Amino acid sequence: MELLAQAQQFISLKGWDKEGLSETKQQQQKDLSSREKFIKSANAGKILANKCLRCGHIMLETIYYCEKCFGNKFEPVEFEGTGNMVTYTTQDVAPEGFEDTESYAWVVFKVDNAPFRVSGFLPGVKSAKGLSIGTKVKVSSFSPKHGLLLQKI
Amino acid sequence: MKDKVCVLGAGSTKYGKLNDSIIEIALNASKDAIDSAGITPNDIQAGYISNVFGVADKQVHMAPVILSNLGIPHVPGLTIESACGSGSVMFREAYANIAAGFYDCVLGLGVEKITHTGTTQSTTLFSYCSDFFYEGGNGASFPGLFASIARAYMTSYKANEEDLANVAVKNHENGILNPKAHVQRKITVDDVLKSPVVASPLKLYDCCPFSDGASAVILCNEEFAKKVGRPYVEVIGSGRGASPAAVQARKDITTIPSTVDAAKQAYKMANITPKDIDFAEVHDCFTIAEVIDIEDLGFFPKGTAVHAIREGATRRNGEIPINPSGGLKSKGHPIGATGIGQVVEVFEQFIGKAGDREIKNAEYALTHNFGATGASSAVHIFKRVG
């Protein structure tokens, strides 16, 4: 199922769905919410963004109007989910839902070749000492429980 | 603006772990404010309530319940939520309604009760104030969010953990003089540095406590204040600002745009500059927040606040006293009440009720309070009258 979903997304991003996919399939793709689309890309290790068709500004998929010109027509742009850490923390008191994770860092990273930053969950970090600003990370998947999962490269 | 706006009365419960229900806490502060103003509930034409987690004490739609128990069930009210900035955001709405001439006299009440939920649940509830999809949902707590801001600041401006600790030491020094403060304990830099890590690089004493408590003010127009004949304080500047909700969306993580914008508006309205302010109550939910606040409010150039703090510029006898009440760090942070608690401090300072923590000869004071990591913010400027 996952592969099929990824394939559909790929087809959509290439614009092939407009010619080759049935109307029903096009509708299904359109029916995904912006967060669902973001999550789908994250599961493929990517960060999904939108490019404003009016001014060309690129922003995260989850933003509904262009931050620059307030246009609302976009084309999807996918970026590799890699980047460098801008800041981070490790926490000794975790919110509910994260107690099962032995240790992790919450990380903000600048997405490579994109004009924005994204935050994520980096598991397996016992101490902040093992990290530094600039550390390279990549998106591994999206977990319903822990959000955007990252790994160190 | 049609009318000048005045603070005619103010009251607070003690901040800390309180056993009373959220409504009783709210009523106690309201009664103190009404008594201090020298009015009766019958003079109140509207009730503005700020609260975030009423649901945790089984009470939402709080305004009618509070107003009914003040004996004025016919008076309209509303409840305002803007995370930790709820109090100041509510104060602005109350201010605007008096200034516009809709009312002569209103109650502004902030209240919170959270400590009964315990640390893990409180941490979780607070994380709902973040941009949850990107922050709380990825495991960030509020100490974690501010820790990430602290790390960015420390890296950009070569500040260290001792610099942050100096904020905590100073605010605890002030809080000892405030009988209503949650944590009345003198601490040293060493105590801060040796306290357990909550979210690296922030330690326990870099963080404000979870607190219960309520603060209330009576706001009115000048004509009403003069008619009552009690001491009052004039509100001469009011500003509101907003920032991207998520830390990731800020161009510069070491500044809070909503503070900068709100402050500019408030200074302009008051027709004064940061140099004219004699003391300020600012939002020090974490030590790093106070460092950033006092730069964003224009008291110190960017990147220099830690040096000024180290030299004592923000102590009660310094160039610009910051948080004479003890701030959120020592006085406590009942989040719905905090912004109003700051106004209570200004009122008490200006009418000579601040005791040993009084800032002598102060004429202008500023309050600054924000929600979450600064997504919403309000700044107000006050002038002593008489």
Side-chain angles (χ1 to χ4, degrees), chain B residues 21-66:
Chain B
S21 71
I22 192 164
I23 294 299
E24 291 165 310
I25 295 169
L27 289 167
N28 288 337
S30 303
K31 186 176 178 305
D32 285 353
I34 291 166
D35 292 348
S36 126
I39 63 167
T40 73
N42 200 36
D43 294 306
I44 294 169
Q45 297 167 317
Y48 292 83
I49 316 296
S50 49
N51 173 256
V52 183
F53 298 124
V55 70
D57 202 38
K58 301 174 186 171
Q59 185 65 65
V60 292
H61 202 206
M62 210 168 278
V65 180
I66 290 164

Short mmCIF file of all heavy atoms in Angstrom, two decimals, chain B residues 21-66:
data_model
loop_
_atom_site.label_atom_id
_atom_site.label_comp_id
_atom_site.label_asym_id
_atom_site.label_seq_id
_atom_site.Cartn_x
_atom_site.Cartn_y
_atom_site.Cartn_z
N SER B 21 -10.98 25.99 44.48
CA SER B 21 -11.35 25.74 43.08
C SER B 21 -10.97 26.96 42.24
O SER B 21 -10.75 28.06 42.77
CB SER B 21 -12.86 25.52 42.97
OG SER B 21 -13.52 26.76 43.21
N ILE B 22 -10.95 26.77 40.93
CA ILE B 22 -10.56 27.87 40.04
C ILE B 22 -11.52 29.06 40.21
O ILE B 22 -11.11 30.22 40.15
CB ILE B 22 -10.48 27.39 38.58
CG1 ILE B 22 -9.80 28.44 37.70
CG2 ILE B 22 -11.84 27.00 38.00
CD1 ILE B 22 -9.34 27.94 36.36
N ILE B 23 -12.79 28.78 40.45
CA ILE B 23 -13.77 29.87 40.59
C ILE B 23 -13.53 30.62 41.90
O ILE B 23 -13.58 31.86 41.95
CB ILE B 23 -15.21 29.32 40.51
CG1 ILE B 23 -15.48 28.78 39.09
CG2 ILE B 23 -16.25 30.38 40.88
CD1 ILE B 23 -15.37 29.81 37.97
N GLU B 24 -13.24 29.88 42.97
CA GLU B 24 -12.97 30.56 44.25
C GLU B 24 -11.71 31.43 44.16
O GLU B 24 -11.67 32.55 44.67
CB GLU B 24 -12.83 29.53 45.37
CG GLU B 24 -14.15 28.86 45.70
CD GLU B 24 -13.98 27.61 46.54
OE1 GLU B 24 -13.15 26.74 46.17
OE2 GLU B 24 -14.67 27.49 47.55
N ILE B 25 -10.69 30.90 43.48
CA ILE B 25 -9.45 31.67 43.30
C ILE B 25 -9.77 32.96 42.54
O ILE B 25 -9.34 34.06 42.92
CB ILE B 25 -8.40 30.83 42.52
CG1 ILE B 25 -7.97 29.61 43.34
CG2 ILE B 25 -7.18 31.67 42.17
CD1 ILE B 25 -7.15 28.60 42.56
N ALA B 26 -10.56 32.82 41.49
CA ALA B 26 -10.94 33.98 40.66
C ALA B 26 -11.72 35.00 41.50
O ALA B 26 -11.49 36.22 41.40
CB ALA B 26 -11.77 33.52 39.48
N LEU B 27 -12.64 34.52 42.30
CA LEU B 27 -13.49 35.42 43.10
C LEU B 27 -12.67 36.16 44.16
O LEU B 27 -12.91 37.34 44.43
CB LEU B 27 -14.64 34.64 43.73
CG LEU B 27 -15.70 34.15 42.73
CD1 LEU B 27 -16.63 33.13 43.38
CD2 LEU B 27 -16.50 35.32 42.18
N ASN B 28 -11.69 35.46 44.74
CA ASN B 28 -10.88 36.10 45.78
C ASN B 28 -10.10 37.29 45.20
O ASN B 28 -10.03 38.36 45.81
CB ASN B 28 -9.90 35.09 46.39
CG ASN B 28 -10.63 34.09 47.28
OD1 ASN B 28 -11.72 34.37 47.78
ND2 ASN B 28 -10.04 32.91 47.47
N ALA B 29 -9.51 37.10 44.02
CA ALA B 29 -8.76 38.21 43.40
C ALA B 29 -9.72 39.33 42.98
O ALA B 29 -9.41 40.52 43.13
CB ALA B 29 -7.98 37.71 42.19
N SER B 30 -10.89 38.95 42.45
CA SER B 30 -11.86 39.96 42.00
C SER B 30 -12.30 40.82 43.18
O SER B 30 -12.39 42.05 43.07
CB SER B 30 -13.09 39.28 41.40
OG SER B 30 -12.73 38.45 40.33
N LYS B 31 -12.58 40.17 44.30
CA LYS B 31 -13.04 40.90 45.49
C LYS B 31 -11.97 41.89 45.95
O LYS B 31 -12.28 43.04 46.26
CB LYS B 31 -13.38 39.89 46.60
CG LYS B 31 -14.01 40.53 47.82
CD LYS B 31 -14.43 39.49 48.85
CE LYS B 31 -15.02 40.18 50.08
NZ LYS B 31 -14.14 41.17 50.70
N ASP B 32 -10.72 41.45 45.95
CA ASP B 32 -9.62 42.35 46.34
C ASP B 32 -9.54 43.56 45.41
O ASP B 32 -9.31 44.69 45.86
CB ASP B 32 -8.28 41.60 46.30
CG ASP B 32 -8.12 40.66 47.49
OD1 ASP B 32 -8.98 40.70 48.40
OD2 ASP B 32 -7.16 39.87 47.49
N ALA B 33 -9.73 43.32 44.12
CA ALA B 33 -9.65 44.43 43.15
C ALA B 33 -10.82 45.40 43.34
O ALA B 33 -10.64 46.62 43.31
CB ALA B 33 -9.63 43.89 41.73
N ILE B 34 -12.00 44.85 43.55
CA ILE B 34 -13.20 45.69 43.74
C ILE B 34 -13.05 46.53 45.01
O ILE B 34 -13.29 47.74 45.01
CB ILE B 34 -14.47 44.80 43.79
CG1 ILE B 34 -14.73 44.19 42.40
CG2 ILE B 34 -15.68 45.58 44.29
CD1 ILE B 34 -15.74 43.04 42.39
N ASP B 35 -12.60 45.88 46.09
CA ASP B 35 -12.41 46.61 47.36
C ASP B 35 -11.33 47.68 47.21
O ASP B 35 -11.47 48.80 47.71
CB ASP B 35 -12.02 45.63 48.48
CG ASP B 35 -13.17 44.69 48.84
OD1 ASP B 35 -14.32 44.96 48.39
OD2 ASP B 35 -12.93 43.70 49.56
N SER B 36 -10.26 47.33 46.51
CA SER B 36 -9.15 48.28 46.36
C SER B 36 -9.58 49.50 45.54
O SER B 36 -9.08 50.61 45.74
CB SER B 36 -7.95 47.57 45.74
OG SER B 36 -7.47 48.19 44.60
N ALA B 37 -10.53 49.30 44.61
CA ALA B 37 -11.00 50.41 43.78
C ALA B 37 -12.01 51.30 44.51
O ALA B 37 -12.32 52.40 44.06
CB ALA B 37 -11.63 49.87 42.50
N GLY B 38 -12.54 50.79 45.61
CA GLY B 38 -13.55 51.56 46.33
C GLY B 38 -14.88 51.61 45.60
O GLY B 38 -15.61 52.61 45.68
N ILE B 39 -15.19 50.55 44.87
CA ILE B 39 -16.47 50.48 44.15
C ILE B 39 -17.25 49.27 44.65
O ILE B 39 -16.77 48.52 45.51
CB ILE B 39 -16.26 50.37 42.61
CG1 ILE B 39 -15.52 49.07 42.27
CG2 ILE B 39 -15.50 51.58 42.09
CD1 ILE B 39 -15.54 48.72 40.78
N THR B 40 -18.43 49.04 44.12
CA THR B 40 -19.16 47.80 44.39
C THR B 40 -19.35 47.08 43.05
O THR B 40 -19.20 47.68 41.97
CB THR B 40 -20.56 48.08 44.98
OG1 THR B 40 -21.40 48.59 43.93
CG2 THR B 40 -20.51 49.06 46.13
N PRO B 41 -19.67 45.78 43.07
CA PRO B 41 -19.88 45.07 41.80
C PRO B 41 -20.90 45.75 40.91
O PRO B 41 -20.84 45.63 39.68
CB PRO B 41 -20.37 43.69 42.27
CG PRO B 41 -19.76 43.51 43.63
CD PRO B 41 -19.78 44.89 44.24
N ASN B 42 -21.80 46.50 41.52
CA ASN B 42 -22.84 47.18 40.74
C ASN B 42 -22.28 48.22 39.77
O ASN B 42 -22.94 48.61 38.81
CB ASN B 42 -23.83 47.84 41.72
CG ASN B 42 -25.15 48.14 41.06
OD1 ASN B 42 -25.60 47.37 40.21
ND2 ASN B 42 -25.75 49.26 41.41
N ASP B 43 -21.04 48.66 40.02
CA ASP B 43 -20.40 49.63 39.12
C ASP B 43 -19.80 48.97 37.88
O ASP B 43 -19.44 49.65 36.92
CB ASP B 43 -19.27 50.37 39.86
CG ASP B 43 -19.80 51.25 40.98
OD1 ASP B 43 -20.69 52.07 40.70
OD2 ASP B 43 -19.32 51.11 42.13
N ILE B 44 -19.67 47.65 37.92
CA ILE B 44 -18.99 46.93 36.82
C ILE B 44 -19.99 46.70 35.68
O ILE B 44 -21.06 46.12 35.89
CB ILE B 44 -18.42 45.59 37.34
CG1 ILE B 44 -17.31 45.87 38.36
CG2 ILE B 44 -17.89 44.75 36.19
CD1 ILE B 44 -16.84 44.65 39.12
N GLN B 45 -19.60 47.15 34.50
CA GLN B 45 -20.51 47.03 33.34
C GLN B 45 -20.16 45.86 32.42
O GLN B 45 -20.95 45.50 31.55
CB GLN B 45 -20.49 48.34 32.54
CG GLN B 45 -21.01 49.52 33.36
CD GLN B 45 -20.69 50.84 32.69
OE1 GLN B 45 -19.60 51.04 32.19
NE2 GLN B 45 -21.66 51.73 32.67
N ALA B 46 -18.96 45.29 32.56
CA ALA B 46 -18.57 44.12 31.76
C ALA B 46 -17.43 43.40 32.46
O ALA B 46 -16.68 44.03 33.23
CB ALA B 46 -18.12 44.54 30.36
N GLY B 47 -17.32 42.12 32.22
CA GLY B 47 -16.26 41.32 32.84
C GLY B 47 -15.41 40.65 31.77
O GLY B 47 -15.94 39.96 30.90
N TYR B 48 -14.10 40.91 31.81
CA TYR B 48 -13.16 40.29 30.87
C TYR B 48 -12.33 39.28 31.66
O TYR B 48 -11.69 39.64 32.65
CB TYR B 48 -12.26 41.35 30.24
CG TYR B 48 -13.03 42.27 29.32
CD1 TYR B 48 -13.73 43.36 29.83
CD2 TYR B 48 -13.08 42.02 27.95
CE1 TYR B 48 -14.47 44.18 28.99
CE2 TYR B 48 -13.82 42.84 27.11
CZ TYR B 48 -14.51 43.91 27.63
OH TYR B 48 -15.24 44.71 26.80
N ILE B 49 -12.36 38.03 31.22
CA ILE B 49 -11.69 36.97 31.96
C ILE B 49 -10.63 36.34 31.05
O ILE B 49 -10.92 36.05 29.88
CB ILE B 49 -12.69 35.85 32.37
CG1 ILE B 49 -14.00 36.43 32.92
CG2 ILE B 49 -12.04 34.85 33.32
CD1 ILE B 49 -13.94 37.20 34.18
N SER B 50 -9.43 36.14 31.57
CA SER B 50 -8.42 35.40 30.80
C SER B 50 -8.11 34.09 31.51
O SER B 50 -7.90 34.07 32.73
CB SER B 50 -7.15 36.22 30.60
OG SER B 50 -6.69 36.76 31.82
N ASN B 51 -8.12 33.02 30.73
CA ASN B 51 -7.87 31.70 31.28
C ASN B 51 -7.50 30.76 30.13
O ASN B 51 -7.95 30.96 29.00
CB ASN B 51 -9.12 31.16 32.00
CG ASN B 51 -8.95 29.72 32.44
OD1 ASN B 51 -9.51 28.80 31.83
ND2 ASN B 51 -8.17 29.51 33.47
N VAL B 52 -6.71 29.74 30.43
CA VAL B 52 -6.31 28.79 29.38
C VAL B 52 -6.84 27.39 29.68
O VAL B 52 -7.48 26.77 28.83
CB VAL B 52 -4.77 28.75 29.22
CG1 VAL B 52 -4.37 27.83 28.07
CG2 VAL B 52 -4.22 30.16 28.98
N PHE B 53 -6.60 26.89 30.88
CA PHE B 53 -6.89 25.49 31.15
C PHE B 53 -8.02 25.30 32.16
O PHE B 53 -7.95 24.43 33.04
CB PHE B 53 -5.63 24.77 31.65
CG PHE B 53 -4.52 24.77 30.63
CD1 PHE B 53 -3.26 25.29 30.95
CD2 PHE B 53 -4.71 24.26 29.35
CE1 PHE B 53 -2.23 25.29 30.01
CE2 PHE B 53 -3.69 24.25 28.41
CZ PHE B 53 -2.45 24.78 28.74
N GLY B 54 -9.08 26.09 32.03
CA GLY B 54 -10.23 25.94 32.92
C GLY B 54 -10.76 24.52 32.89
O GLY B 54 -11.23 23.98 33.90
N VAL B 55 -10.68 23.89 31.73
CA VAL B 55 -11.19 22.54 31.57
C VAL B 55 -10.51 21.57 32.54
O VAL B 55 -11.11 20.58 32.97
CB VAL B 55 -11.06 22.09 30.09
CG1 VAL B 55 -9.61 21.87 29.69
CG2 VAL B 55 -11.90 20.88 29.79
N ALA B 56 -9.27 21.87 32.93
CA ALA B 56 -8.54 20.99 33.85
C ALA B 56 -9.14 21.04 35.25
O ALA B 56 -8.91 20.15 36.07
CB ALA B 56 -7.06 21.40 33.92
N ASP B 57 -9.93 22.09 35.56
CA ASP B 57 -10.64 22.14 36.84
C ASP B 57 -12.16 22.13 36.60
O ASP B 57 -12.93 22.67 37.39
CB ASP B 57 -10.22 23.37 37.66
CG ASP B 57 -10.50 23.18 39.16
OD1 ASP B 57 -10.31 22.05 39.65
OD2 ASP B 57 -10.93 24.14 39.82
N LYS B 58 -12.54 21.52 35.48
CA LYS B 58 -13.95 21.28 35.14
C LYS B 58 -14.78 22.55 35.06
O LYS B 58 -15.90 22.61 35.55
CB LYS B 58 -14.57 20.32 36.18
CG LYS B 58 -13.85 18.98 36.25
CD LYS B 58 -14.39 18.13 37.36
CE LYS B 58 -13.57 16.86 37.48
NZ LYS B 58 -13.88 16.09 38.66
N GLN B 59 -14.20 23.61 34.50
CA GLN B 59 -15.00 24.81 34.31
C GLN B 59 -14.55 25.57 33.06
O GLN B 59 -13.44 26.07 33.00
CB GLN B 59 -14.89 25.75 35.52
CG GLN B 59 -15.80 26.97 35.42
CD GLN B 59 -17.28 26.59 35.44
OE1 GLN B 59 -17.78 26.08 36.43
NE2 GLN B 59 -17.99 26.81 34.33
N VAL B 60 -15.40 25.58 32.06
CA VAL B 60 -15.21 26.52 30.95
C VAL B 60 -16.40 27.47 30.99
O VAL B 60 -17.20 27.42 31.92
CB VAL B 60 -15.08 25.79 29.58
CG1 VAL B 60 -13.78 25.01 29.51
CG2 VAL B 60 -16.25 24.89 29.30
N HIS B 61 -16.51 28.36 30.00
CA HIS B 61 -17.55 29.39 30.04
C HIS B 61 -17.53 30.06 31.41
O HIS B 61 -18.54 30.16 32.12
CB HIS B 61 -18.94 28.78 29.76
CG HIS B 61 -19.94 29.80 29.27
ND1 HIS B 61 -21.28 29.66 29.44
CD2 HIS B 61 -19.76 30.98 28.65
CE1 HIS B 61 -21.91 30.70 28.93
NE2 HIS B 61 -21.01 31.51 28.44
N MET B 62 -16.34 30.52 31.73
CA MET B 62 -16.06 30.96 33.09
C MET B 62 -16.68 32.32 33.45
O MET B 62 -17.06 32.55 34.59
CB MET B 62 -14.55 31.04 33.23
CG MET B 62 -14.06 30.76 34.61
SD MET B 62 -12.29 30.54 34.54
CE MET B 62 -12.20 28.84 34.05
N ALA B 63 -16.72 33.22 32.47
CA ALA B 63 -17.14 34.59 32.77
C ALA B 63 -18.51 34.65 33.45
O ALA B 63 -18.65 35.29 34.51
CB ALA B 63 -17.11 35.46 31.51
N PRO B 64 -19.55 33.98 32.90
CA PRO B 64 -20.86 34.08 33.57
C PRO B 64 -20.86 33.49 34.98
O PRO B 64 -21.58 33.98 35.86
CB PRO B 64 -21.78 33.26 32.65
CG PRO B 64 -21.07 33.17 31.35
CD PRO B 64 -19.62 33.22 31.65
N VAL B 65 -20.05 32.45 35.19
CA VAL B 65 -20.01 31.83 36.52
C VAL B 65 -19.40 32.80 37.53
O VAL B 65 -19.92 32.99 38.64
CB VAL B 65 -19.21 30.50 36.48
CG1 VAL B 65 -19.17 29.85 37.86
CG2 VAL B 65 -19.81 29.55 35.44
N ILE B 66 -18.32 33.44 37.13
CA ILE B 66 -17.65 34.39 38.03
C ILE B 66 -18.56 35.61 38.29
O ILE B 66 -18.75 36.02 39.45
CB ILE B 66 -16.30 34.83 37.43
CG1 ILE B 66 -15.33 33.64 37.48
CG2 ILE B 66 -15.72 36.04 38.16
CD1 ILE B 66 -14.12 33.78 36.60
#
